[in-house]
Amino acid sequence: MKLSINQISKSYGTNKALTDFTADLTPGIYALLGPNGSGKSTLMNIITDNLKADSGSITYADGEGEAEDVLKMGVRFRSLLGFMPQYPGMYPTFTVERFLWYMAALKDVGAHLKGKARKQYIADEIAGLLKAVELDDVPHRKIGALSGGMKQRLGIAISLIANPEILILDEPTAGVDPQERIRIRNFISEIAQNRIILLATHIVSDVEAVA
């Protein structure tokens, strides 16, 4: 698989956030390193179609056919994406498990199944994600009562629902203590096989460790 970013430019008034940004991404971990305001989030929001570029294009090839423009792919491309924004919106009164069920419904997980089979499929996926991000001991805790590190790990779990081929993480270790940061970046390394991961950060040690 290959995600190709071709001469993407984006301006906000007279401020140029991106100018002819170009890169080819294949399975592995890539990092966007730079200070706040350098255009990292802008690029990620363009890739996920949350923001329109002024010029340029993004194409995706799965290895079995020709590259396609991701905007023309539409839902087909978005179904391949997992995205954790810098400030993920979460309902503080929801429990961890309930919020994952909610996100699974939004992503139409298990659509190939019906009834009890689909419910069990989703339950198994959620249980696996909670174990993977080490939140399986707090499934019934309300999100508002989680620590900063736990919320970051929950954000990663949400982005992994439906097993995406392309994972985009915006500042996944922001605001967490050093031990939690190591735990998160080790997990990112573990899930990188056969997946394109793009993470934005301003923390040099995170880039050194995983990208």
Side-chain angles (χ1 to χ4, degrees):
M1 78 185 73
K2 182 165 75 172
L3 185 69
S4 297
I5 305 166
N6 310 301
Q7 294 185 306
I8 291 291
S9 294
K10 177 66 179 179
S11 295
Y12 300 98
T14 58
N15 180 29
K16 293 184 178 181
L18 297 169
T19 303
D20 294 333
F21 186 94
T22 298
D24 287 329
L25 310 181
T26 54
I29 303 174
Y30 300 84
L32 299 171
L33 177 64
N36 292 332
S38 60
K40 303 187 301 297
S41 295
T42 293
L43 178 63
M44 291 183 157
N45 278 297
I46 289 173
I47 294 173
T48 56
D49 196 23
N50 289 311
L51 188 66
K52 300 296 182 184
D54 295 335
S55 60
S57 64
I58 300 173
T59 60
Y60 174 76
D62 62 6
E64 298 180 359
E66 295 184 1
E68 295 183 76
D69 188 299
V70 300
L71 294 180
K72 292 180 180 178
M73 289 177 68
V75 173
R76 284 193 296 123
F77 178 68
R78 288 192 291 276
S79 69
L80 304 173
L81 279 177
F83 179 41
M84 177 185 171
Q86 184 174 359
Y87 303 107
M90 300 179 189
Y91 299 126
T93 58
F94 275 41
T95 66
V96 169
E97 187 177 61
R98 184 186 177 198
F99 194 69
L100 285 171
W101 274 95
Y102 171 67
M103 294 304 297
L106 291 182
K107 291 190 176 186
D108 208 19
V109 173
H112 59 293
L113 300 170
K114 295 188 180 298
K116 291 183 179 180
R118 183 178 186 182
K119 187 174 181 179
Q120 186 61 52
Y121 180 88
I122 296 172
D124 290 344
E125 177 157 345
I126 288 174
L129 287 171
L130 287 174
K131 185 175 182 180
V133 298
E134 299 182 42
L135 291 176
D136 51 323
D137 57 336
V138 292
H140 304 300
R141 184 177 299 180
K142 290 187 176 181
I143 292 173
L146 298 178
S147 67
M150 286 178 168
K151 288 179 181 177
Q152 292 296 88
R153 282 185 275 138
L154 177 57
I156 294 174
I158 291 167
S159 70
L160 285 169
I161 289 175
N163 194 29
E165 294 182 7
I166 303 168
L167 187 62
I168 298 178
L169 307 172
D170 195 353
E171 299 283 1
T173 61
V176 301
D177 61 51
Q179 186 174 358
E180 188 72 45
R181 182 179 300 135
I182 292 171
R183 178 189 295 184
I184 290 173
R185 71 191 190 197
N186 286 346
F187 178 68
I188 292 171
S189 295
E190 290 170 4
I191 62 174
Q193 189 173 6
N194 299 320
R195 188 181 272 129
I196 295 170
I197 298 181
L198 180 63
L199 65 91
T201 183
H202 60 276
I203 303 170
V204 176
S205 59
D206 284 354
V207 176
E208 288 181 320
V210 300

